[in-house]
Amino acid sequence: MLPGVGVFGTGRTVRALVPMLQKEGFPVQAVWGRTQEEAECLANELDIPFSTSQSDDVLLHPEVHLVCILTPPPHTRQIAVKALGIGKNVISEQAATLTDACKMVTAARYYPQLMSIMSNALRFLPAFVLMKRLLGEGYCGTLQVCEARIYGGSLLSQSYGWAWEELMGGGGLHTVGFGIIDLLSHLTGGQALRVHGMLRTFLHQGSTGGSIRSVTADDYACFQLLMGGGVVCSVTLNFNLPGADLHEVMLVGSSGRLVARGTELYGQRNGTHGEEILLSDSMSGAGPSVTGLNAMVTQLRLSFQAQEDRRSWERHPVSMAATFEDGLYVQTVVDAIKRSNRTGEWEAVEVRTQDIDPNHNHRTPPN
């Protein structure tokens, strides 16, 4: 029996997710927006029966048993913790700070019977599912190096908002790098021990010419992760390339390599001539995030549909999903990269769930 869904947020991801949920049979019962007008507009557009700008109206809705939180990062923790506290299953975007991520983990541990997973859908992208399986079967031999390159246009909103501010969770490292760091951990089965990174903000003013606000969120990030077992990961995120659309993740081992480009997977064993295509996806036309999200929603349906109680779920179909614990790990890595950018040194990654300084996340000095 599929649960009723309450959605927080009105952005592009919500506009992609709601039709996917409805197609799989989930009744999307309520939507929250920052203003009543914003919420009503989206509700009318996507055929959602209830809209509000009051978060409690969604959380206490009697037909909502699954909450999807796709809000700006500063709102995430409060909604997620409250939702778990009143018995709702939760799928959430990343939090804004390490302190917020810790509080989400604490709530998830307190209610282990409830679903509490991150919305990073790249883990469900068929190309990465196959990549992880082939890696485990020895296609690459002993894994040595992981490289990821993500290029695209500006992530800034037209007018001033959270996306402009590093401390509010804006920037390529937090919004896109979060998913890549999580994916690399998922693929390799390990976690970063030490990191080194450089962040830059090349676009210091938004597109609104008369704005007095300066952009502090990064639009370029280059960082390295030293994983357990000696695997080295290198990631480049560049959002100063309007019209560009590159999403590439490569795993290199002692006997071959696997490369995911967009939603397709290629491979080449040492000693062979040229790459072989291992997974083609020429028909979908959607990018990795949307394709992965669609696959994740399908697994969600499998998790809930055989249950008699709308609040009950089966763990196996969504076992590859990132947990709140994974979200805390990634947030710790992101913070270590920010420290490295300030110090110029390699920084250790130490995941903790207590004794976190709420003022740890100091503003990066201007470039």
Side-chain angles (χ1 to χ4, degrees):
M1 184 177 295
L2 298 181
V5 180
V7 178
F8 286 84
T10 56
R12 286 179 296 178
T13 304
V14 172
R15 284 176 160 80
L17 174 63
V18 169
M20 293 176 188
L21 289 167
Q22 293 168 333
K23 182 180 178 182
E24 291 289 344
F26 286 92
V28 180
Q29 301 285 7
V31 62
W32 172 92
R34 289 176 298 174
T35 66
Q36 185 64 39
E37 181 182 8
E38 192 176 84
E40 287 180 2
C41 181
L42 186 70
N44 291 333
E45 178 185 335
L46 299 178
D47 194 25
I48 301 172
F50 180 77
S51 59
T52 182
S53 59
Q54 303 297 316
S55 60
D56 284 355
D57 290 347
V58 176
L59 294 176
L60 298 175
H61 193 292
E63 296 300 320
V64 169
H65 303 291
L66 172 64
V67 173
C68 297
I69 306 170
L70 302 164
T71 62
H75 300 302
T76 301
R77 183 265 307 164
Q78 181 181 9
I79 299 170
V81 171
K82 184 178 286 189
L84 290 169
I86 59 177
K88 309 290 185 180
N89 294 304
V90 175
I91 301 172
S92 178
E93 291 263 317
Q94 66 269 22
T97 68
L98 195 56
T99 302
D100 285 352
C102 286
K103 291 179 179 178
M104 290 171 63
V105 167
T106 300
R109 288 177 176 176
Y110 198 77
Y111 303 101
Q113 76 281 10
L114 296 174
M115 176 183 287
S116 54
I117 61 177
M118 305 302 294
S119 62
N120 180 24
L122 289 179
R123 290 186 176 213
F124 291 84
L125 184 70
F128 290 129
V129 174
L130 180 56
M131 175 183 270
K132 183 174 176 64
R133 179 169 68 80
L134 291 174
L135 182 66
E137 292 174 355
Y139 188 98
C140 297
T142 302
L143 184 62
Q144 299 167 334
V145 176
C146 305
E147 292 190 1
R149 297 186 299 154
I150 314 296
Y151 299 163
S154 175
L155 299 175
L156 296 179
S157 52
Q158 290 296 312
S159 58
Y160 173 77
W162 69 270
W164 292 35
E165 294 282 355
E166 175 205 347
L167 294 181
M168 294 176 69
L173 174 62
H174 198 277
T175 57
V176 178
F178 191 100
I180 297 299
I181 295 167
D182 174 68
L183 176 67
L184 293 175
S185 178
H186 174 65
L187 291 173
T188 64
Q191 293 188 341
L193 304 177
R194 300 170 65 211
V195 303
H196 187 276
M198 177 180 67
L199 307 176
R200 290 294 183 268
T201 303
F202 290 108
L203 185 60
H204 291 284
Q205 298 291 334
S207 59
T208 52
S211 174
I212 62 172
R213 300 275 192 172
S214 295
V215 177
T216 62
D218 62 274
D219 51 31
Y220 177 85
C222 180
F223 55 91
Q224 292 76 46
L225 314 175
L226 180 60
M227 312 291 281
V231 176
V232 178
C233 299
S234 178
V235 179
T236 302
L237 311 172
N238 190 346
F239 300 102
N240 296 283
L241 298 168
D245 185 18
L246 177 68
H247 193 287
E248 180 179 278
V249 176
M250 177 167 61
L251 307 184
V252 181
S254 58
S255 60
R257 67 176 183 265
L258 291 163
V259 188
R261 298 190 183 99
T263 58
E264 299 186 324
L265 181 64
Y266 301 82
Q268 184 172 353
R269 299 180 190 271
N270 293 353
T272 63
H273 298 287
E275 293 180 337
E276 58 177 327
I277 184 162
L278 301 171
L279 180 67
S280 175
D281 187 28
S282 58
M283 298 299 292
S284 77
S289 297
V290 173
T291 304
L293 191 61
N294 194 43
M296 183 177 182
V297 171
T298 298
Q299 295 304 116
L300 277 174
R301 175 179 57 79
L302 296 175
S303 177
F304 283 105
Q305 70 177 5
Q307 307 301 310
E308 295 183 2
D309 186 340
R310 293 181 187 274
R311 291 169 293 184
S312 300
W313 57 290
E314 182 184 352
R315 296 180 186 274
H316 177 70
V318 291
S319 59
M320 74 176 75
T323 65
F324 282 11
E325 302 264 359
D326 295 319
L328 175 61
Y329 156 72
V330 177
Q331 189 71 55
T332 304
V333 173
V334 166
D335 275 34
I337 293 170
K338 290 181 178 182
R339 288 200 310 275
S340 176
N341 179 60
R342 292 192 296 270
T343 65
E345 305 289 339
W346 283 86
E347 296 286 341
V349 177
E350 300 177 0
V351 181
R352 294 184 294 171
T353 56
Q354 54 188 358
D355 301 325
I356 299 295
D357 177 7
N359 298 313
H360 69 285
N361 204 3
H362 302 296
R363 187 182 301 272
T364 303
N367 305 130

